[in-house]
Amino acid sequence: MRFARATGRRLFEVGIVFLGVTFIIYAMVWALPGDPIAALGGDRPLPPTVVAELRRQFHLDDPLFLQYLRYLAGLLTGDLGTTFDGVPVADRMAARWPVTITLALTAWVIEVVLGVLLGLMAGLRKNSWIDRGVLLTTILATSIPIFVVAVGAQLIFGLQLKWLPIAGTTAGWPTAYILPASVIAIFGLAAIARLMRGSVIDTLQSDFVRTLRAKGVPRRTIVGTHVMRNSVAPVLTFVAIDLGYLLGGAVVVEGVFNLPGIGQLLFTAIRTHEGPTVVGVGTTLILIFLALSLLVDLVNSALDPRIRHV
């Protein structure tokens, strides 16, 4: 019963967040200066009758809140909207999802493997040069803007060393994805390493580890079986939610590396004032992130009853 109430409360909270965030995105997109319909004609202005008909067709003259309610009604049937040139937003996204998902999953694997490994090494050797090196590296990694890291990686590993391609997906996986995925993974990797380090240090100082040492249990068994199992729990929560961040964080990287994914689609739509595409992509990314967050909350609530009272 308590689990059902906790689930209902979290579903309600997710719904409120979804409505609030999507309305802000919708309002900001349609508040941009310029007439997106008039821009369809390029250098040759569209006839006033055509502009009026298109505005009527897309309900652009209706109050903003009414437009948003109509958009929500379409979402209930799976309709993400239609672009100004008549193409469903879902169709445009469908062709680009494989690139973004491949990029995000590659980055996810990189940050999880390296982050857990670096955090474990630093936690087991607290205050050593390895520990200080990991802390310094993670601080530097999170201090540099992602577009600077992306351009720097292209210059060093692509143009100077010629190890990896700097643009496109023609080389296929993994060659074409390693460099951009590594750029995206840097920030999550730093967070995972620091989180894992702190968790390992706390676990090593716990009473049950002291008891195992007093009983003469080998250090390898303590670390491999007990410390890892207890330290990785908080990291799993972070990496599950971080997958949603990776999908949304591909916007800049896909633009820099010219990858034909969701991020590049969103970047192009913003530049061309293609409002329906911006709102549709933003809504989808929000749904993915909220779904992952809700799933993590429900799993944690099922495993730890204390969380249900928070």
Side-chain angles (χ1 to χ4, degrees):
M1 181 63 69
R2 290 179 177 177
F3 180 73
R5 286 201 298 266
T7 301
R9 184 175 67 252
R10 281 168 172 77
L11 286 172
F12 176 77
E13 293 170 351
V14 166
I16 295 299
V17 172
F18 173 76
L19 292 176
V21 175
T22 53
F23 179 75
I24 291 174
I25 293 177
Y26 197 93
M28 292 178 64
V29 168
W30 296 114
L32 292 174
D35 187 352
I37 298 298
L40 292 176
D43 296 333
R44 300 178 60 183
L46 295 175
T49 54
V50 175
V51 173
E53 175 59 25
L54 288 175
R55 292 188 66 84
R56 185 199 63 79
Q57 179 181 343
F58 288 97
H59 309 284
L60 296 180
D61 294 325
D62 293 344
L64 177 63
F65 191 70
L66 182 60
Q67 294 182 46
Y68 176 69
L69 291 179
R70 188 177 287 109
Y71 178 72
L72 288 180
L75 286 179
L76 295 177
T77 62
D79 182 13
L80 291 173
T82 304
T83 64
F84 292 134
D85 53 2
V87 180
V89 174
D91 291 348
R92 283 197 169 178
M93 294 175 61
R96 294 174 177 263
W97 270 121
V99 173
T100 297
I101 291 176
T102 302
L103 177 64
L105 289 178
T106 304
W108 192 67
V109 171
I110 292 174
E111 71 175 30
V112 170
V113 173
L114 293 182
V116 170
L117 180 61
L118 291 175
L120 179 62
M121 293 170 55
L124 293 176
R125 296 168 175 82
K126 182 182 177 182
N127 296 326
S128 67
W129 67 269
I130 295 178
D131 184 26
R132 293 189 180 93
V134 170
L135 290 176
L136 179 61
T137 303
T138 55
I139 292 174
L140 291 176
T142 55
S143 302
I144 305 175
I146 188 170
F147 67 89
V148 176
V149 177
V151 174
Q154 286 180 320
L155 291 175
I156 297 174
F157 300 102
L159 297 179
Q160 294 182 2
L161 299 177
K162 301 185 184 302
W163 288 354
L164 297 166
I166 62 173
T169 58
T170 55
W173 188 90
T175 304
Y177 290 90
I178 289 179
L179 198 57
S182 299
V183 172
I184 300 177
I186 283 178
F187 300 92
L189 187 155
I192 292 174
R194 295 175 70 89
L195 184 61
M196 185 68 183
R197 172 189 177 273
S199 185
V200 168
I201 291 175
D202 290 341
T203 304
L204 288 174
Q205 296 174 348
S206 60
D207 293 336
F208 82 92
V209 171
R210 294 193 185 97
T211 302
L212 291 174
R213 288 173 174 169
K215 290 182 178 180
V217 178
R219 177 179 172 83
R220 179 179 300 179
T221 302
I222 294 176
V223 173
T225 303
H226 302 281
V227 174
M228 278 294 297
R229 184 175 58 188
N230 288 273
S231 300
V232 81
V235 177
L236 292 177
T237 301
F238 176 83
V239 298
I241 298 176
D242 192 54
L243 184 57
Y245 279 114
L246 291 175
L247 290 171
V251 176
V252 176
V253 173
E254 287 184 2
V256 174
F257 286 89
N258 195 28
L259 301 178
I262 295 295
Q264 189 189 65
L265 175 65
L266 180 59
F267 181 79
T268 303
I270 293 174
R271 186 179 58 191
T272 58
H273 289 192
E274 180 62 58
T277 302
V278 176
V279 175
V281 173
T283 299
T284 304
L285 294 177
I286 291 168
L287 281 173
I288 293 174
F289 176 76
L290 290 178
L292 289 174
S293 300
L294 178 63
L295 179 62
V296 170
D297 284 344
L298 294 180
V299 171
N300 286 337
S301 296
L303 297 178
D304 189 351
R306 294 173 298 178
I307 300 178
R308 304 173 193 173
H309 302 286
V310 178

